[in-house]
Amino acid sequence: MTSALHTSALTSLPLLARGKVRDNYAVGDDRILMVASDRISAFDVIMGEPIPGKGELLTRLSLFWFDLLGPKGQNICPIHLTGDDPESVVSDAEKPLVRGRSMLVKRLKPIPVEAVVRGYLAGSGWKEYQDSRSVCGVPLPEGLNNASKLPAPIYTPAAKAEVGEHDENITYEQTVAMIGPELAAQIRDTSIRLYQAAAEFALTKGIIIADTKFEFGLDRDGTLVLMDEVLTPDSSRYWPADRYQEGRNPPSYDKQFLRDWLETAQVDGRLWNKTAPAPRLPREVIEQTAAKYQEALQRMLG
């Protein structure tokens, strides 16, 4: 297996924060160097073992989607990329550490809302539908099944939690109370447009994007800007279109393989309770998870 980066440790820039996957470094007061590690999380817990190649893969996919959906492509909304080379802001010795896994981005004011869009009924959405025939306050018709395609994509936001905490599904009305009606509506409408454009493209590559989440921030002028990662297997549910069948969970090109293994994993002789520390990942789980991510990249980009 190739070497993997669990945690970066740059010395040429001050560390701002570490997320579940990305380590953010300050570049002056107006830019951030985002370094995508090979960490992987499941059930909001960061695993102790990295997935080789994952950080570079996520970065490559995000850059592709930013180009397709941002000002260079369909121009759906502004994006946080500066266009500057990430290697230009670190020392010569650290350039190999950021190469291929970093983005140099604008420093924004993050909006504490996970902008989730669902085109299919899956995961927590399917569970909620069975109880209430709705998802995050959005009513849905009777007769839907697991993995059913929805009549139209729906916006089902979540409140963004701190690292190690669980994001909480909320209603659109709650986002209005949090950030105001105008901004809430702009995020909802922009998110649905982004999802629809991405899902349409992905189908041409034989991939169904069942759902995804976006993150946004505001620049100094108050402009809404798409930020963080975009439409990767970490933030989206990728299904192979040729194996899709309504009524059951399709095989996925994301971390579902890891989640499935964790459902039966044990810590100290007991079933893992989905809190830290996480079980140690066996070699075969690491390798198969890495293979799933690579397959997603190859299908989408060729």
Side-chain angles (χ1 to χ4, degrees):
M1 295 176 67
T2 59
S3 59
L5 176 69
H6 187 278
T7 305
S8 68
L10 303 182
T11 59
S12 55
L13 296 172
L15 178 68
L16 280 176
R18 295 194 195 279
K20 292 173 185 173
V21 174
R22 286 162 187 78
D23 299 332
N24 294 338
Y25 294 86
V27 182
D29 61 0
D30 61 347
R31 295 182 296 171
I32 293 174
L33 180 67
M34 298 178 63
V35 181
S37 73
D38 296 324
R39 293 191 295 271
I40 191 168
S41 66
F43 305 111
D44 294 309
V45 177
I46 298 171
M47 304 293 111
E49 296 74 38
I51 306 299
K54 178 173 175 284
E56 292 183 38
L57 182 150
L58 296 183
T59 300
R60 187 175 170 190
L61 267 176
S62 285
L63 291 173
F64 166 78
W65 288 115
F66 277 125
D67 278 350
L68 182 69
L69 303 173
K72 290 183 179 180
Q74 298 189 28
N75 199 22
I76 294 174
C77 66
I79 61 175
H80 70 161
L81 296 178
T82 63
D84 301 327
D85 183 359
E87 294 182 38
S88 67
V89 298
V90 298
S91 67
D92 289 343
E94 291 179 335
K95 287 181 180 180
L97 301 178
V98 305
R99 186 169 300 144
R101 64 167 71 246
S102 303
M103 296 186 290
L104 193 54
V105 304
K106 301 169 187 175
R107 195 162 185 172
L108 304 170
K109 179 183 178 182
I111 298 170
V113 172
E114 294 274 8
V116 180
V117 183
R118 303 174 190 266
Y120 291 75
L121 200 55
S124 63
W126 166 237
K127 292 179 182 177
E128 188 175 341
Y129 172 81
Q130 293 175 84
D131 294 333
S132 65
R133 296 299 182 267
S134 65
V135 180
C136 293
V138 180
L140 293 172
E142 293 282 346
L144 297 179
N145 299 308
N146 186 20
S148 285
K149 184 177 182 179
L150 299 175
I154 61 172
Y155 177 67
T156 59
K160 190 168 175 58
E162 298 295 326
V163 175
E165 300 295 325
H166 297 282
D167 294 341
E168 178 187 359
N169 288 346
I170 57 177
T171 64
Y172 173 71
E173 288 72 24
Q174 286 174 288
T175 69
V176 170
M178 291 169 61
I179 60 178
E182 184 175 334
L183 186 55
Q186 187 180 6
I187 291 173
R188 177 197 60 199
D189 297 345
T190 302
S191 298
I192 291 175
R193 286 183 64 201
L194 288 167
Y195 171 79
Q196 289 174 320
E200 182 178 336
F201 175 85
L203 275 178
T204 68
K205 301 296 185 178
I207 290 178
I208 292 171
I209 301 179
D211 52 44
T212 194
K213 65 179 179 180
F214 302 107
E215 294 193 37
F216 295 91
L218 298 174
D219 67 12
R220 292 177 178 177
D221 297 326
T223 301
L224 186 71
V225 180
L226 181 63
M227 56 178 266
D228 201 60
E229 66 174 346
V230 183
L231 292 152
T232 73
D234 264 14
S235 63
S236 315
R237 211 180 299 265
Y238 278 26
W239 293 341
D242 57 358
R243 299 180 67 184
Y244 168 72
Q245 183 177 336
E246 186 179 9
R248 67 179 186 180
N249 289 322
S252 55
Y253 295 124
D254 49 39
K255 49 184 161 184
Q256 193 59 47
F257 178 85
L258 171 64
R259 293 192 194 101
D260 291 344
W261 180 82
L262 288 169
E263 290 284 6
T264 59
Q266 294 192 348
V267 175
D268 297 328
R270 296 181 178 179
L271 195 65
W272 184 50
N273 63 1
K274 299 178 183 176
T275 60
R280 183 171 182 81
L281 303 184
R283 181 185 181 93
E284 59 269 22
V285 171
I286 295 172
E287 291 177 342
Q288 290 192 52
T289 301
K292 288 289 184 183
Y293 276 78
Q294 286 296 333
E295 190 174 354
L297 179 72
Q298 290 164 6
R299 276 225 179 189
M300 194 67 77
L301 302 188

